[in-house]
């Protein structure tokens, strides 16, 4: 896949899946915008790595749950590049705790970032994609939004289920010029899992047919496929990628 001359925005790309997605796009020749909310050091580090591949890269701080910051970020991208071709709505938070300990603030913070943020960035980036009659939007959902098997992440699960519905609605709204699809990963081997009990992680791996968690690059490979013209006839879909997880 070749993304030469394509402009790609990956939200929440200072670490984890977003970081891998941004790097993979850079390796394929895209100009990449690294977005972050608070992890400035990590964002600047990944920007340097991406630039080392010989592709253009800028780093923008923006809280995607705030409309004015989203508008400013998109305007900055358009001012520099004149276009935006691919958007990956990756930014998200999870507040895991016992069900009874969840507060309304947890819900609002989670939904504001995971769902409202994806809507806002899609809305303002989509405007320019429609003008150029070309665009690809890939939303990062989760198998948690399909299975809903973890009550301690009830707000996160609800937000990821909503992302799947948002994907369908955006596909309708932006047709026929913008393809909008979602990716629903299962367990991924990232730093977010470092604080979880090892025995619990071992048990979860036994539920996966491939007996391991995904590498972030494997999720990125699917995202790049959906962003490429090879997927031009896929629209409004959610693709599960979990190694064959069985409850």
């Amino acid at each position: 896949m070749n993304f030469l001359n394509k402009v790609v925005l990956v939200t929440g790309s200072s670490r984890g899946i977003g970081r891998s997605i941004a790097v993979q796009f850079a390796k394929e020749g895209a100009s990449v915008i690294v977005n972050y909310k608070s992890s400035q050091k990590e964002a600047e580090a990944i920007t340097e790595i991406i630039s080392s591949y010989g592709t253009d890269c800028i780093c923008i701080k923006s809280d995607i749950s705030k409309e004015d910051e989203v508008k400013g970020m998109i305007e900055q991208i358009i001012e520099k590049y004149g276009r935006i071709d691919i958007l990956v709505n990756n930014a998200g938070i999870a507040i895991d705790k016992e069900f009874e300990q969840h507060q309304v603030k947890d819900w609002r913070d989670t939904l504001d970032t995971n769902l409202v943020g994806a809507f806002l960035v899609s809305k303002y980036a989509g405007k320019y994609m429609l003008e150029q009659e070309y665009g690809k939007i890939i939303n990062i959902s989760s198998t948690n939004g399909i299975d809903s098997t973890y009550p301690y992440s009830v707000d996160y699960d609800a937000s990821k289920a909503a992302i799947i519905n948002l994907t369908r609605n955006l596909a309708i709204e932006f047709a026929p010029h913008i393809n909008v699809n979602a990716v629903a990963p299962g367990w991924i081997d990232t730093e977010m899992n470092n604080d979880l009990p090892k025995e619990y992680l071992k048990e979860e791996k036994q539920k996966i047919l491939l007996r391991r968690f995904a590498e972030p690059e494997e999720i990125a490979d699917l995202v790049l496929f959906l962003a490429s013209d090879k997927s031009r006839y896929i629209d409004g879909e959610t693709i599960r990628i979990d190694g064959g997880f069985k409850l």
Side-chain angles (χ1 to χ4, degrees):
M1 291 175 281
N2 190 326
F3 291 96
L4 194 64
N5 299 322
K6 298 297 185 184
V7 177
V8 182
L9 167 61
V10 184
T11 65
S13 46
S14 62
R15 57 182 182 173
I17 309 173
R19 175 188 174 104
S20 293
I21 293 170
V23 169
Q24 291 296 89
F25 271 116
K27 288 181 178 179
E28 297 294 336
S31 296
V32 179
I33 297 91
V34 172
N35 159 254
Y36 73 100
K37 176 183 177 182
S38 58
S39 304
Q40 181 176 351
K41 183 177 179 180
E42 291 88 344
E44 291 175 348
I46 192 60
T47 300
E48 290 184 11
I49 292 173
I50 289 173
S51 298
S52 71
Y53 291 111
T55 57
D56 194 47
C57 180
I58 61 173
C59 182
I60 302 178
K61 178 180 181 180
S62 174
D63 181 346
I64 63 166
S65 70
K66 301 186 185 317
E67 189 166 12
D68 58 338
E69 293 192 27
V70 170
K71 289 174 65 177
M73 174 174 64
I74 299 301
E75 288 170 1
Q76 187 176 339
I77 294 169
I78 297 300
E79 182 178 352
K80 178 172 175 60
Y81 297 105
R83 61 186 296 113
I84 179 168
D85 300 296
I86 299 163
L87 164 64
V88 182
N89 283 311
N90 167 77
I93 62 172
I95 305 172
D96 292 345
K97 58 177 69 173
E98 294 295 331
F99 179 83
E100 293 185 355
Q101 295 178 355
H102 276 277
Q103 305 296 320
V104 170
K105 185 179 185 304
D106 298 329
W107 277 84
R108 287 176 175 160
D109 289 347
T110 301
L111 292 174
D112 280 348
T113 297
N114 298 7
L115 179 60
V116 177
F119 160 72
L120 287 173
V121 184
S122 298
K123 175 182 177 180
Y124 288 103
K127 170 187 174 183
Y128 293 99
M129 291 178 176
L130 288 173
E131 288 179 1
Q132 66 200 28
E133 296 189 351
Y134 177 86
K136 302 274 191 172
I137 298 176
I138 299 94
N139 297 320
I140 306 300
S141 180
S142 170
T143 53
N144 283 44
I146 301 171
D147 299 327
S148 299
T149 57
Y150 303 101
Y152 57 76
S153 60
V154 59
D155 40 13
Y156 175 84
D157 295 0
S159 74
K160 291 303 183 177
I163 282 290
I164 293 172
N165 187 274
L166 176 67
T167 298
R168 298 192 192 105
N169 277 289
L170 290 178
I172 295 169
E173 176 64 25
F174 291 150
H177 299 301
I178 304 174
N179 294 69
V180 186
N181 292 291
V183 171
W187 281 103
I188 306 170
D189 192 8
T190 66
E191 62 270 16
M192 290 183 67
N193 302 327
N194 291 343
D195 295 332
L196 295 175
K198 291 183 179 180
E199 187 60 31
Y200 170 66
L201 296 177
K202 182 179 179 180
E203 291 173 358
E204 289 297 295
K205 287 180 182 178
Q206 292 304 308
K207 299 176 183 178
I208 301 172
L209 296 182
L210 298 184
R211 297 295 189 269
R212 64 177 179 85
F213 292 169
E215 294 296 329
E217 292 77 14
E218 292 174 307
I219 310 303
D221 286 342
L222 177 56
V223 171
L224 264 67
F225 169 72
L226 290 173
S228 76
D229 288 336
K230 292 182 181 295
S231 66
R232 58 188 176 274
Y233 205 62
I234 301 175
D235 200 15
E237 293 298 324
T238 297
I239 300 178
R240 184 175 185 135
I241 176 170
D242 62 2
F245 185 86
K246 302 300 178 184
L247 297 177

Short mmCIF file of all heavy atoms in Angstrom, two decimals, residues 25-84:
data_model
loop_
_atom_site.label_atom_id
_atom_site.label_comp_id
_atom_site.label_asym_id
_atom_site.label_seq_id
_atom_site.Cartn_x
_atom_site.Cartn_y
_atom_site.Cartn_z
N PHE A 25 1.78 4.44 8.66
CA PHE A 25 1.43 5.36 7.57
C PHE A 25 2.68 6.08 7.06
O PHE A 25 2.85 6.26 5.85
CB PHE A 25 0.40 6.38 8.04
CG PHE A 25 -1.02 5.95 7.87
CD1 PHE A 25 -1.84 5.75 8.97
CD2 PHE A 25 -1.55 5.73 6.60
CE1 PHE A 25 -3.17 5.35 8.81
CE2 PHE A 25 -2.86 5.33 6.42
CZ PHE A 25 -3.68 5.14 7.54
N ALA A 26 3.55 6.48 7.98
CA ALA A 26 4.78 7.17 7.59
C ALA A 26 5.66 6.26 6.73
O ALA A 26 6.26 6.70 5.74
CB ALA A 26 5.54 7.63 8.83
N LYS A 27 5.74 4.99 7.12
CA LYS A 27 6.55 4.04 6.35
C LYS A 27 6.04 3.89 4.92
O LYS A 27 6.80 3.53 4.02
CB LYS A 27 6.55 2.67 7.05
CG LYS A 27 7.37 2.63 8.33
CD LYS A 27 7.33 1.23 8.93
CE LYS A 27 8.20 1.13 10.19
NZ LYS A 27 8.14 -0.22 10.80
N GLU A 28 4.73 4.15 4.75
CA GLU A 28 4.14 4.02 3.42
C GLU A 28 4.07 5.36 2.68
O GLU A 28 3.39 5.48 1.66
CB GLU A 28 2.73 3.43 3.53
CG GLU A 28 2.69 2.02 4.11
CD GLU A 28 3.36 1.00 3.20
OE1 GLU A 28 3.44 1.25 1.98
OE2 GLU A 28 3.80 -0.05 3.71
N GLY A 29 4.78 6.37 3.22
CA GLY A 29 4.94 7.63 2.50
C GLY A 29 3.98 8.74 2.81
O GLY A 29 4.03 9.81 2.19
N ALA A 30 3.08 8.56 3.78
CA ALA A 30 2.09 9.58 4.09
C ALA A 30 2.67 10.72 4.91
O ALA A 30 3.63 10.53 5.67
CB ALA A 30 0.92 8.96 4.84
N SER A 31 2.07 11.90 4.78
CA SER A 31 2.34 12.99 5.70
C SER A 31 1.43 12.77 6.91
O SER A 31 0.22 12.62 6.75
CB SER A 31 2.04 14.34 5.06
OG SER A 31 2.90 14.58 3.96
N VAL A 32 2.01 12.74 8.10
CA VAL A 32 1.26 12.32 9.28
C VAL A 32 1.16 13.45 10.30
O VAL A 32 2.14 14.13 10.60
CB VAL A 32 1.93 11.10 9.94
CG1 VAL A 32 1.16 10.67 11.19
CG2 VAL A 32 2.02 9.94 8.95
N ILE A 33 -0.05 13.63 10.83
CA ILE A 33 -0.26 14.57 11.92
C ILE A 33 -0.43 13.77 13.20
O ILE A 33 -1.36 12.97 13.33
CB ILE A 33 -1.50 15.46 11.70
CG1 ILE A 33 -1.31 16.33 10.46
CG2 ILE A 33 -1.75 16.33 12.93
CD1 ILE A 33 -1.80 15.73 9.19
N VAL A 34 0.49 13.96 14.13
CA VAL A 34 0.43 13.31 15.44
C VAL A 34 -0.36 14.21 16.38
O VAL A 34 -0.01 15.37 16.60
CB VAL A 34 1.84 13.07 16.00
CG1 VAL A 34 1.76 12.57 17.44
CG2 VAL A 34 2.60 12.08 15.13
N ASN A 35 -1.44 13.69 16.91
CA ASN A 35 -2.27 14.45 17.85
C ASN A 35 -2.12 13.88 19.26
O ASN A 35 -2.03 12.67 19.44
CB ASN A 35 -3.74 14.38 17.43
CG ASN A 35 -4.69 14.68 18.59
OD1 ASN A 35 -5.34 13.76 19.12
ND2 ASN A 35 -4.78 15.92 19.00
N TYR A 36 -2.08 14.78 20.24
CA TYR A 36 -2.00 14.34 21.63
C TYR A 36 -2.73 15.36 22.51
O TYR A 36 -2.98 16.50 22.10
CB TYR A 36 -0.54 14.21 22.07
CG TYR A 36 0.17 15.54 22.27
CD1 TYR A 36 0.35 16.09 23.54
CD2 TYR A 36 0.65 16.26 21.17
CE1 TYR A 36 0.97 17.30 23.72
CE2 TYR A 36 1.29 17.48 21.34
CZ TYR A 36 1.45 18.00 22.62
OH TYR A 36 2.06 19.23 22.79
N LYS A 37 -3.06 14.91 23.71
CA LYS A 37 -3.72 15.79 24.67
C LYS A 37 -2.76 16.25 25.75
O LYS A 37 -2.70 17.42 26.09
CB LYS A 37 -4.91 15.07 25.30
CG LYS A 37 -5.61 15.87 26.39
CD LYS A 37 -6.75 15.06 27.02
CE LYS A 37 -7.40 15.81 28.17
NZ LYS A 37 -8.48 15.00 28.80
N SER A 38 -1.97 15.32 26.33
CA SER A 38 -1.09 15.67 27.44
C SER A 38 0.30 15.06 27.34
O SER A 38 1.22 15.53 28.01
CB SER A 38 -1.74 15.25 28.77
OG SER A 38 -2.01 13.86 28.77
N SER A 39 0.46 14.02 26.54
CA SER A 39 1.74 13.30 26.47
C SER A 39 2.69 13.98 25.47
O SER A 39 3.04 13.42 24.43
CB SER A 39 1.52 11.85 26.08
OG SER A 39 0.63 11.21 26.98
N GLN A 40 3.12 15.19 25.81
CA GLN A 40 3.94 15.97 24.88
C GLN A 40 5.28 15.30 24.57
O GLN A 40 5.70 15.23 23.40
CB GLN A 40 4.19 17.37 25.44
CG GLN A 40 5.02 18.25 24.50
CD GLN A 40 5.18 19.66 25.01
OE1 GLN A 40 4.55 20.06 26.00
NE2 GLN A 40 6.01 20.44 24.36
N LYS A 41 5.94 14.79 25.60
CA LYS A 41 7.24 14.17 25.41
C LYS A 41 7.14 12.99 24.45
O LYS A 41 7.95 12.84 23.52
CB LYS A 41 7.81 13.72 26.75
CG LYS A 41 9.21 13.12 26.67
CD LYS A 41 9.73 12.76 28.06
CE LYS A 41 11.12 12.15 27.99
NZ LYS A 41 11.62 11.78 29.35
N GLU A 42 6.14 12.13 24.66
CA GLU A 42 5.95 10.96 23.80
C GLU A 42 5.58 11.38 22.38
O GLU A 42 6.03 10.77 21.40
CB GLU A 42 4.87 10.05 24.38
CG GLU A 42 5.26 9.35 25.67
CD GLU A 42 4.94 10.19 26.91
OE1 GLU A 42 4.71 11.41 26.76
OE2 GLU A 42 4.92 9.61 28.01
N ALA A 43 4.75 12.42 22.27
CA ALA A 43 4.33 12.89 20.96
C ALA A 43 5.51 13.44 20.16
O ALA A 43 5.64 13.19 18.96
CB ALA A 43 3.25 13.96 21.11
N GLU A 44 6.36 14.21 20.82
CA GLU A 44 7.53 14.76 20.14
C GLU A 44 8.49 13.65 19.73
O GLU A 44 9.12 13.72 18.66
CB GLU A 44 8.22 15.78 21.05
CG GLU A 44 7.40 17.04 21.25
CD GLU A 44 8.04 18.01 22.24
OE1 GLU A 44 8.99 17.57 22.94
OE2 GLU A 44 7.60 19.17 22.32
N ALA A 45 8.59 12.63 20.56
CA ALA A 45 9.48 11.50 20.25
C ALA A 45 9.00 10.75 19.01
O ALA A 45 9.80 10.41 18.12
CB ALA A 45 9.58 10.55 21.43
N ILE A 46 7.71 10.50 18.92
CA ILE A 46 7.18 9.77 17.77
C ILE A 46 7.24 10.62 16.51
O ILE A 46 7.43 10.13 15.39
CB ILE A 46 5.74 9.26 18.02
CG1 ILE A 46 5.33 8.25 16.94
CG2 ILE A 46 4.75 10.39 18.07
CD1 ILE A 46 6.18 7.04 16.86
N THR A 47 7.12 11.94 16.68
CA THR A 47 7.25 12.85 15.53
C THR A 47 8.65 12.76 14.94
O THR A 47 8.82 12.75 13.71
CB THR A 47 6.94 14.30 15.95
OG1 THR A 47 5.60 14.36 16.48
CG2 THR A 47 7.05 15.25 14.77
N GLU A 48 9.65 12.68 15.79
CA GLU A 48 11.03 12.55 15.31
C GLU A 48 11.23 11.22 14.59
O GLU A 48 11.91 11.16 13.55
CB GLU A 48 12.00 12.66 16.49
CG GLU A 48 12.09 14.06 17.08
CD GLU A 48 13.14 14.14 18.18
OE1 GLU A 48 13.93 13.18 18.32
OE2 GLU A 48 13.18 15.16 18.89
N ILE A 49 10.65 10.16 15.13
CA ILE A 49 10.78 8.85 14.49
C ILE A 49 10.13 8.87 13.10
O ILE A 49 10.71 8.39 12.12
CB ILE A 49 10.13 7.76 15.36
CG1 ILE A 49 10.94 7.55 16.65
CG2 ILE A 49 10.01 6.44 14.59
CD1 ILE A 49 10.29 6.63 17.65
N ILE A 50 8.95 9.44 13.02
CA ILE A 50 8.24 9.50 11.74
C ILE A 50 9.03 10.32 10.73
O ILE A 50 9.17 9.94 9.56
CB ILE A 50 6.83 10.08 11.94
CG1 ILE A 50 5.95 9.07 12.68
CG2 ILE A 50 6.21 10.46 10.60
CD1 ILE A 50 4.60 9.59 13.07
N SER A 51 9.58 11.44 11.17
CA SER A 51 10.37 12.30 10.28
C SER A 51 11.60 11.58 9.74
O SER A 51 12.07 11.86 8.64
CB SER A 51 10.78 13.58 11.01
OG SER A 51 9.64 14.33 11.40
N SER A 52 12.11 10.62 10.52
CA SER A 52 13.30 9.89 10.09
C SER A 52 13.04 9.01 8.87
O SER A 52 13.97 8.58 8.20
CB SER A 52 13.83 9.02 11.24
OG SER A 52 12.98 7.91 11.49
N TYR A 53 11.76 8.75 8.58
CA TYR A 53 11.43 7.96 7.39
C TYR A 53 11.39 8.82 6.14
O TYR A 53 11.09 8.33 5.04
CB TYR A 53 10.08 7.26 7.58
CG TYR A 53 10.10 6.17 8.62
CD1 TYR A 53 9.42 6.32 9.82
CD2 TYR A 53 10.81 5.00 8.41
CE1 TYR A 53 9.45 5.32 10.79
CE2 TYR A 53 10.83 3.99 9.37
CZ TYR A 53 10.16 4.17 10.56
OH TYR A 53 10.18 3.19 11.52
N GLY A 54 11.65 10.11 6.30
CA GLY A 54 11.68 11.00 5.15
C GLY A 54 10.34 11.57 4.78
O GLY A 54 10.19 12.19 3.71
N THR A 55 9.34 11.38 5.62
CA THR A 55 8.02 11.92 5.36
C THR A 55 7.76 13.11 6.27
O THR A 55 8.36 13.24 7.33
CB THR A 55 6.93 10.86 5.58
OG1 THR A 55 7.03 10.36 6.92
CG2 THR A 55 7.10 9.70 4.62
N ASP A 56 6.84 13.95 5.85
CA ASP A 56 6.52 15.15 6.62
C ASP A 56 5.64 14.79 7.81
O ASP A 56 4.75 13.95 7.71
CB ASP A 56 5.81 16.17 5.73
CG ASP A 56 5.77 17.54 6.38
OD1 ASP A 56 6.81 17.98 6.88
OD2 ASP A 56 4.69 18.16 6.40
N CYS A 57 5.89 15.43 8.94
CA CYS A 57 5.12 15.14 10.15
C CYS A 57 5.05 16.37 11.03
O CYS A 57 6.06 17.06 11.24
CB CYS A 57 5.75 13.98 10.92
SG CYS A 57 4.87 13.52 12.44
N ILE A 58 3.86 16.67 11.53
CA ILE A 58 3.71 17.72 12.52
C ILE A 58 2.99 17.17 13.73
O ILE A 58 2.28 16.16 13.64
CB ILE A 58 2.96 18.96 11.98
CG1 ILE A 58 1.55 18.59 11.53
CG2 ILE A 58 3.76 19.61 10.86
CD1 ILE A 58 0.71 19.79 11.14
N CYS A 59 3.17 17.83 14.85
CA CYS A 59 2.61 17.40 16.13
C CYS A 59 1.67 18.48 16.63
O CYS A 59 2.06 19.65 16.72
CB CYS A 59 3.77 17.16 17.10
SG CYS A 59 3.27 16.56 18.71
N ILE A 60 0.43 18.14 16.92
CA ILE A 60 -0.56 19.13 17.36
C ILE A 60 -1.20 18.69 18.67
O ILE A 60 -1.75 17.60 18.77
CB ILE A 60 -1.67 19.33 16.31
CG1 ILE A 60 -1.08 19.79 14.97
CG2 ILE A 60 -2.69 20.35 16.81
CD1 ILE A 60 -2.11 19.97 13.88
N LYS A 61 -1.14 19.56 19.65
CA LYS A 61 -1.82 19.32 20.92
C LYS A 61 -3.27 19.76 20.79
O LYS A 61 -3.55 20.90 20.41
CB LYS A 61 -1.14 20.08 22.05
CG LYS A 61 -1.83 19.90 23.40
CD LYS A 61 -1.12 20.66 24.50
CE LYS A 61 -1.81 20.44 25.84
NZ LYS A 61 -1.15 21.18 26.94
N SER A 62 -4.19 18.86 21.08
CA SER A 62 -5.61 19.20 20.99
C SER A 62 -6.42 18.22 21.82
O SER A 62 -6.28 17.00 21.67
CB SER A 62 -6.08 19.16 19.53
OG SER A 62 -7.48 19.36 19.45
N ASP A 63 -7.25 18.75 22.68
CA ASP A 63 -8.20 17.93 23.43
C ASP A 63 -9.41 17.75 22.54
O ASP A 63 -10.20 18.68 22.34
CB ASP A 63 -8.58 18.64 24.73
CG ASP A 63 -9.55 17.84 25.59
OD1 ASP A 63 -10.14 16.86 25.07
OD2 ASP A 63 -9.73 18.19 26.77
N ILE A 64 -9.59 16.56 21.98
CA ILE A 64 -10.63 16.36 20.98
C ILE A 64 -12.04 16.41 21.55
O ILE A 64 -13.01 16.43 20.79
CB ILE A 64 -10.43 15.04 20.21
CG1 ILE A 64 -10.54 13.83 21.15
CG2 ILE A 64 -9.11 15.04 19.45
CD1 ILE A 64 -10.70 12.52 20.42
N SER A 65 -12.16 16.45 22.87
CA SER A 65 -13.49 16.58 23.47
C SER A 65 -13.96 18.03 23.48
O SER A 65 -15.11 18.30 23.81
CB SER A 65 -13.49 16.03 24.90
OG SER A 65 -12.74 16.86 25.76
N LYS A 66 -13.07 18.96 23.09
CA LYS A 66 -13.39 20.39 23.08
C LYS A 66 -13.50 20.88 21.64
O LYS A 66 -12.53 20.83 20.88
CB LYS A 66 -12.34 21.19 23.85
CG LYS A 66 -12.20 20.74 25.31
CD LYS A 66 -11.27 21.65 26.07
CE LYS A 66 -11.01 21.17 27.50
NZ LYS A 66 -12.21 20.70 28.21
N GLU A 67 -14.67 21.37 21.29
CA GLU A 67 -14.94 21.72 19.89
C GLU A 67 -14.01 22.79 19.35
O GLU A 67 -13.54 22.69 18.21
CB GLU A 67 -16.40 22.17 19.74
CG GLU A 67 -16.82 22.36 18.31
CD GLU A 67 -18.33 22.47 18.16
OE1 GLU A 67 -19.02 22.64 19.19
OE2 GLU A 67 -18.82 22.38 17.02
N ASP A 68 -13.72 23.81 20.13
CA ASP A 68 -12.86 24.87 19.64
C ASP A 68 -11.44 24.37 19.35
O ASP A 68 -10.80 24.81 18.38
CB ASP A 68 -12.81 26.06 20.62
CG ASP A 68 -12.33 25.65 22.01
OD1 ASP A 68 -12.42 24.46 22.35
OD2 ASP A 68 -11.84 26.54 22.75
N GLU A 69 -10.96 23.43 20.16
CA GLU A 69 -9.62 22.88 19.92
C GLU A 69 -9.60 21.99 18.68
O GLU A 69 -8.61 21.96 17.94
CB GLU A 69 -9.14 22.12 21.16
CG GLU A 69 -8.89 23.01 22.37
CD GLU A 69 -8.14 22.31 23.49
OE1 GLU A 69 -7.38 21.37 23.19
OE2 GLU A 69 -8.34 22.71 24.66
N VAL A 70 -10.68 21.27 18.46
CA VAL A 70 -10.77 20.43 17.26
C VAL A 70 -10.79 21.31 16.01
O VAL A 70 -10.07 21.05 15.03
CB VAL A 70 -12.02 19.53 17.30
CG1 VAL A 70 -12.24 18.84 15.95
CG2 VAL A 70 -11.89 18.50 18.39
N LYS A 71 -11.59 22.36 16.03
CA LYS A 71 -11.66 23.27 14.89
C LYS A 71 -10.29 23.87 14.60
O LYS A 71 -9.86 23.97 13.45
CB LYS A 71 -12.68 24.37 15.16
CG LYS A 71 -14.11 23.91 15.15
CD LYS A 71 -15.07 25.01 15.58
CE LYS A 71 -15.09 26.15 14.60
NZ LYS A 71 -16.09 27.18 14.99
N GLY A 72 -9.59 24.27 15.67
CA GLY A 72 -8.26 24.85 15.50
C GLY A 72 -7.27 23.86 14.91
O GLY A 72 -6.44 24.22 14.07
N MET A 73 -7.34 22.61 15.35
CA MET A 73 -6.44 21.58 14.84
C MET A 73 -6.67 21.34 13.35
O MET A 73 -5.70 21.29 12.55
CB MET A 73 -6.63 20.27 15.61
CG MET A 73 -5.83 19.09 15.06
SD MET A 73 -5.92 17.59 16.07
CE MET A 73 -7.68 17.19 15.93
N ILE A 74 -7.93 21.20 12.95
CA ILE A 74 -8.23 20.95 11.54
C ILE A 74 -7.82 22.15 10.69
O ILE A 74 -7.25 21.98 9.59
CB ILE A 74 -9.72 20.64 11.34
CG1 ILE A 74 -10.12 19.38 12.13
CG2 ILE A 74 -10.04 20.48 9.87
CD1 ILE A 74 -9.35 18.13 11.74
N GLU A 75 -8.06 23.35 11.16
CA GLU A 75 -7.67 24.55 10.42
C GLU A 75 -6.16 24.62 10.25
O GLU A 75 -5.66 25.02 9.19
CB GLU A 75 -8.18 25.80 11.14
CG GLU A 75 -9.69 25.97 11.04
CD GLU A 75 -10.22 27.06 11.95
OE1 GLU A 75 -9.40 27.70 12.65
OE2 GLU A 75 -11.45 27.30 11.96
N GLN A 76 -5.43 24.21 11.29
CA GLN A 76 -3.97 24.20 11.20
C GLN A 76 -3.48 23.21 10.15
O GLN A 76 -2.54 23.49 9.40
CB GLN A 76 -3.37 23.85 12.57
CG GLN A 76 -1.86 23.99 12.65
CD GLN A 76 -1.33 23.74 14.05
OE1 GLN A 76 -2.07 23.85 15.04
NE2 GLN A 76 -0.06 23.38 14.16
N ILE A 77 -4.13 22.07 10.08
CA ILE A 77 -3.77 21.05 9.09
C ILE A 77 -4.04 21.56 7.67
O ILE A 77 -3.21 21.42 6.77
CB ILE A 77 -4.53 19.74 9.35
CG1 ILE A 77 -4.09 19.13 10.69
CG2 ILE A 77 -4.31 18.74 8.21
CD1 ILE A 77 -4.98 17.99 11.16
N ILE A 78 -5.22 22.15 7.49
CA ILE A 78 -5.59 22.66 6.17
C ILE A 78 -4.66 23.80 5.75
O ILE A 78 -4.26 23.90 4.59
CB ILE A 78 -7.06 23.12 6.15
CG1 ILE A 78 -7.99 21.93 6.43
CG2 ILE A 78 -7.40 23.79 4.82
CD1 ILE A 78 -7.88 20.80 5.44
N GLU A 79 -4.30 24.64 6.69
CA GLU A 79 -3.41 25.76 6.38
C GLU A 79 -2.05 25.25 5.90
O GLU A 79 -1.45 25.84 4.99
CB GLU A 79 -3.22 26.64 7.62
CG GLU A 79 -2.34 27.86 7.37
CD GLU A 79 -2.21 28.74 8.60
OE1 GLU A 79 -2.92 28.49 9.60
OE2 GLU A 79 -1.40 29.68 8.56
N LYS A 80 -1.57 24.17 6.49
CA LYS A 80 -0.25 23.65 6.12
C LYS A 80 -0.30 22.78 4.86
O LYS A 80 0.54 22.91 3.97
CB LYS A 80 0.36 22.83 7.27
CG LYS A 80 1.72 22.21 6.92
CD LYS A 80 2.39 21.58 8.11
CE LYS A 80 3.68 20.86 7.73
NZ LYS A 80 4.69 21.77 7.12
N TYR A 81 -1.28 21.88 4.79
CA TYR A 81 -1.30 20.89 3.72
C TYR A 81 -2.35 21.17 2.63
O TYR A 81 -2.26 20.61 1.54
CB TYR A 81 -1.54 19.49 4.28
CG TYR A 81 -0.45 19.02 5.20
CD1 TYR A 81 -0.63 18.99 6.59
CD2 TYR A 81 0.79 18.60 4.70
CE1 TYR A 81 0.37 18.55 7.44
CE2 TYR A 81 1.79 18.16 5.54
CZ TYR A 81 1.59 18.14 6.91
OH TYR A 81 2.58 17.72 7.76
N GLY A 82 -3.36 21.94 2.98
CA GLY A 82 -4.40 22.24 2.00
C GLY A 82 -5.43 21.15 1.84
O GLY A 82 -6.38 21.29 1.06
N ARG A 83 -5.29 20.05 2.58
CA ARG A 83 -6.21 18.93 2.45
C ARG A 83 -6.03 17.99 3.63
O ARG A 83 -5.05 18.06 4.37
CB ARG A 83 -5.98 18.17 1.16
CG ARG A 83 -4.58 17.57 1.03
CD ARG A 83 -4.32 16.95 -0.33
NE ARG A 83 -5.19 15.81 -0.61
CZ ARG A 83 -6.14 15.81 -1.55
NH1 ARG A 83 -6.34 16.88 -2.29
NH2 ARG A 83 -6.88 14.72 -1.75
N ILE A 84 -6.98 17.10 3.79
CA ILE A 84 -6.86 15.99 4.73
C ILE A 84 -7.54 14.79 4.09
O ILE A 84 -8.70 14.86 3.70
CB ILE A 84 -7.47 16.34 6.11
CG1 ILE A 84 -7.34 15.14 7.05
CG2 ILE A 84 -8.91 16.80 6.00
CD1 ILE A 84 -7.65 15.50 8.50
#
